[in-house]
Amino acid sequence: MPKPDVPRNSPLAGLPAPASVLIDVPKLITAYYEDRPDPALASQRVAFGTSGHRGSAFDRSFNEWHVLAIAQALCDHRHAKGITGPLFLGFDTHALSAPANASVIEVLAANGVELMLAHQDEFTPTPAVSHAILTHNRGRDPRSGAGLADGIVVTPSHNPPRDGGFKYNPPHGGPAGPDVTGWIETAANRYLEAALVGVKRMVLADALRAPSTHRHDYRSAYVADLEQVIDMDVIRHAEVRMGVDPMGGAGVHYWATIAQRYRLNMNVIDDVVDPTFRFMALDWDGQIRMDPSSSFAMQRLIALKDRFEIAFACDTDHDRHGIVTPAHGLLSPNHYLSVAVDHLFRNRAHWPVQAAIGKTVVSTQMIDRVAARLGRRVYEVPVGFKWFSAGLLDGSLGFGGEESAGASFLRRDGAVWTTDKDGIIAALLAAEITAVAGRDPGQLYAELTRELGDPVARLVEAPATPAQKLRLAALSRQQVTTTDLAGERIEAILTQAPGDGAAIGGIKVSTANGWFAARPSGTEDIYKIYAESFRSEEHLQSLLHEAQTIVDGVIGPA
């Protein structure tokens, strides 16, 4: 098998988007309504990944028929589970989100679902929907669906402008688990195969007037509650100079409301909403992608870093964050999560003493070292924020974070805030940290490395056939026979996450000063190798080389 590759950057990466890459919005929306998916083709069926169903109308993978089928399948699921409370519905600023939102309304209203739409049809961030679900369900019996709320966010997250997406949050408020999404996916594909026979639908104008359709002020409710999770007083009194780039996303109007309500020194650098996202810098591959963890996509805010003590951005549905400091520029998500964990567990006196720190199997080991110093347990789970939801809900987790710049944490009094990723509170926490410490998160991470070690990490990719990907996802510990890795004795070989015992869909091998994890891609014929060394760049290269040798020996020839 060929040597693993670091993804090759486009010569346009980090540059302003030229007109040639902008989507034709009318053509995209026309394709949404006019093109019909062929359920005989796997690429055109409903397929829920770690963050819902995503696709593009241009590829016939996210069209009106998909949304109608998923919406009806979700209504069937609610009926089967006895979920009778309101459904909170939000959508982001992607071009396909508004028409897909309308399709959802038509089906849910026809099924008599008590539907909560945003006041004045405002864009709604994912965390605002999770917050609304949990607020409604507070004090209700979670064992019974009666009266419990759930939610939908119509978003493909940070995906390119051509894409659309559908995410479901059940009554626990976080992303639906595979048991739920698998049920909905199967039912939705049956509706596609039956040419939508059995899908109930109402004309949009009638759906909006239906007695079961209501309006909800997501923004006011969410913003008014923020001081329960972030110390707004300390930020205000320190007069921290903040810059924020909403990246044209669903929280675009939230930031000014936050600044006004809490009298913060915050500058929103751009509040333009444009479904072509022409204001973005191109990502590593030359595509527009609203990824706040990408140094290429974040060029606009990075260029302004010296104007602020701390700056931040969120992706299109505002569930992910990016933190920019004057001296260090854009922080690695792993670096910021390490600092956030250290700060939170030192400055949340009312959190449960047994509350653990949640991380994914491919997040930095620096978090483990911080946790050990804090005397806190680490709860390690597979990739996907859904694995943190139950712990955040019951308070057994104080914090849950993943390497792709998603995190949430408890309220200051130890109660649940959201059980889905919340880019807004992760961003505001950076300002709280700066105010409390008198140093920004970049400076604080440098201090951590002097005390706990300075890791280097990399993600690389290697080609793999579908059969090889299946073998990698299904391998057992016994198939790895070597006892050493990059000059150190292997301490752990994992195919299941130590936190919850769930399959990680690959393998993780750890030593005292390094680790690698390999898992198949869900969308491409490749596998990914994550590696981290606390020794040196040379040690990291040895980890990567030996990781591929181990994986190739397990998955066999193409």
Side-chain angles (χ1 to χ4, degrees), residues 122-314:
E122 186 174 59
F123 304 116
T124 307
T126 287
V129 171
S130 180
H131 176 269
I133 295 168
L134 295 174
T135 300
H136 176 86
N137 290 343
R138 189 178 298 134
R140 289 180 165 85
D141 184 357
R143 295 168 297 180
S144 169
L148 291 179
D150 54 0
I152 295 169
V153 188
V154 182
T155 174
S157 189
H158 61 287
N159 275 31
R162 72 196 304 271
D163 286 357
F166 186 114
K167 298 196 301 186
Y168 173 57
N169 289 34
H172 63 55
D179 54 335
V180 174
T181 57
W183 195 101
I184 295 170
E185 177 183 309
T186 299
N189 282 319
R190 283 200 297 265
Y191 283 122
L192 288 183
E193 292 162 356
L196 301 184
V197 172
V199 172
K200 300 177 183 178
R201 190 177 184 186
M202 182 182 290
V203 174
L204 180 61
D206 294 337
L208 292 172
R209 290 193 296 265
S212 57
T213 300
H214 315 282
R215 293 290 173 173
H216 178 72
D217 191 347
Y218 289 90
R219 179 167 33 139
S220 293
Y222 177 88
V223 172
D225 224 12
L226 275 173
E227 62 185 347
Q228 303 302 320
V229 68
I230 297 293
D231 191 340
M232 295 297 195
D233 290 338
V234 74
I235 299 173
R236 179 173 59 256
H237 292 152
E239 299 182 342
V240 179
R241 297 191 316 279
M242 294 169 279
V244 57
D245 184 356
M247 294 181 123
V252 64
H253 301 306
Y254 279 53
W255 294 105
T257 304
I258 292 168
Q260 181 180 23
R261 179 180 179 89
Y262 296 106
R263 305 191 305 281
L264 302 181
N265 185 3
M266 179 185 291
N267 181 9
V268 179
I269 68 168
D270 193 347
D271 61 0
V272 170
V273 174
D274 179 346
T276 69
F277 294 90
R278 67 180 70 239
F279 47 78
M280 290 293 302
L282 296 179
D283 203 4
W284 66 272
D285 56 356
Q287 290 199 66
I288 296 175
R289 189 178 287 110
M290 290 63 70
D291 182 356
S293 67
S294 165
S295 61
F296 300 108
M298 285 280 281
Q299 280 299 303
R300 179 169 65 167
L301 189 58
I302 293 170
L304 301 174
K305 63 184 178 63
D306 294 328
R307 289 175 48 185
F308 309 107
E309 291 176 82
I310 193 76
F312 33 79
C314 292

Side-chain angles (χ1 to χ4, degrees), residues 457-479:
R458 191 155 301 128
L459 166 63
V460 297
E461 300 172 347
T465 66
Q468 289 175 317
K469 289 167 59 179
L470 287 173
R471 289 196 288 270
L472 176 56
L475 64 79
S476 67
R477 294 176 56 192
Q478 289 71 30
Q479 290 175 270

Side-chain angles (χ1 to χ4, degrees), residues 358-372:
K359 57 166 283 195
T360 65
V361 292
V362 295
S363 297
T364 179
Q365 201 175 61
M366 178 65 89
I367 294 175
D368 300 73
R369 297 188 177 198
V370 170

